[in-house]
Structure formats: structure tokens, C-alpha cells
Amino acid sequence: LRDSGGLAWRLTLGSGLLERAFPTALESAVSVDGTTIYGTSDGNVLRLTPTESAPWKAAAAARQSQLQALRDGGVLLIGQRAPETVLTRYRPPATEAVDSATLPGTARLISAAGGDRYYLSDGPRGLVSVRARDLEMLGSIALGDSIIATTTSPSGDRVYVLGRDDD
């Protein structure tokens, strides 16, 4: 949970216990398991866990636009560095990026739900597939319609796109 001031909180549903996860406001916050919280603050990526006395911190490679916690304990940062999008994957406790890649233009993460690919939109009419293992761009698909909504299959190996014909 993150309150209106940007502070991250942990809520234990079984006991009703609510505790502040970190005293510093976060610009964004995500979690896969509800225990480990990833967030951004002052150009850094932070990881907050109940057992760490100080958060893990790494400097972001680009102005962050999206943050995605990964099932393997890592975090994927999608950032913008005009005129390109920078993908950076971190795997704590290492503070250096494990992998990074750049894509032309402004891309937005659609899914990192699992499987071996991440899907991004590279504008209102295109999709990009990136291999999760090494962030290599596998291909792009130009769509004739504007993208309205996207979702992936539970396994993460398919992406479904709802488009609108602008003609």
C-alpha cells in the first residue's frame, strides 16, 4: 500500500497489522509477493523488506516511467532517455544492473507476467517483444489499429490486443 503522501505501508490481513515499510516517500511502488516492495525515490530504485534495516538502493539509468517487480526477486525499470526507452534489470543484492537494453522511441511495458518474454507497446500502433533472459529485442509488430487495451495469458506467452480502427 502507498498513501497519498507516497509512504509505503504493509498490511497483514490475518492480524490487521498496519506498519510503515519505509519513512521516505516513494514516487512509485510495486510488489509481487506483498512482502518485498520496490519503489523509486530521488532517481534511485529501492527494495524494502521486513528483515532489512536499510533498503537496498541502486541508481536508475534513466528517468523512470515504469517499475515492474519480477517473480525471480529482481526488478525491471523502464525509463526514458530521449529519444529512446531504456530497459534495466536489477537483481538485489547487486547494485549494478544485470542487463540493460535500449529501444527506439517511447515504449510502455504491457506485461512481464512470466514466461520468457516482456511485451511493450512502442506507440499507439505497435508491439515489441523482448527476451526476458537478456533483454534482446525479438521483434516488433505494426498494428493497423490504435491500441485500446492489452492483456497477457496467465503463462505470459501470449499477448491479446484490443484495437480501434481510426479510419
Side-chain angles (χ1 to χ4, degrees), residues 108 110 124-125 127 143 145-151 159-165:
R108 180 181 59 86
I110 293 171
R125 295 179 179 265
L127 294 175
L143 303 173
D145 299 334
S146 293
I147 298 172
I148 296 172
T150 60
T151 191
V159 63
Y160 302 95
V161 179
L162 175 64
R164 176 179 45 231
D165 186 1

Side-chain angles (χ1 to χ4, degrees), residues 49-124:
T49 67
T51 58
E52 293 174 323
S53 59
W56 168 88
K57 181 166 62 169
R63 183 179 54 81
Q64 180 257 341
S65 60
Q66 288 179 281
L67 193 64
Q68 176 68 47
L70 303 173
R71 292 181 187 179
D72 68 359
V75 63
L76 181 66
L77 176 74
I78 298 87
Q80 305 304 317
R81 188 173 56 209
E84 58 194 9
T85 298
V86 179
L87 304 177
T88 312
R89 186 174 52 215
Y90 298 93
R91 181 82 165 114
T95 56
E96 297 296 318
V98 175
D99 287 306
S100 66
T102 58
L103 301 173
T106 302
R108 180 181 59 86
L109 183 69
I110 293 171
S111 175
D116 62 346
R117 296 178 184 204
Y118 302 141
Y119 297 101
L120 300 99
S121 67
D122 65 349

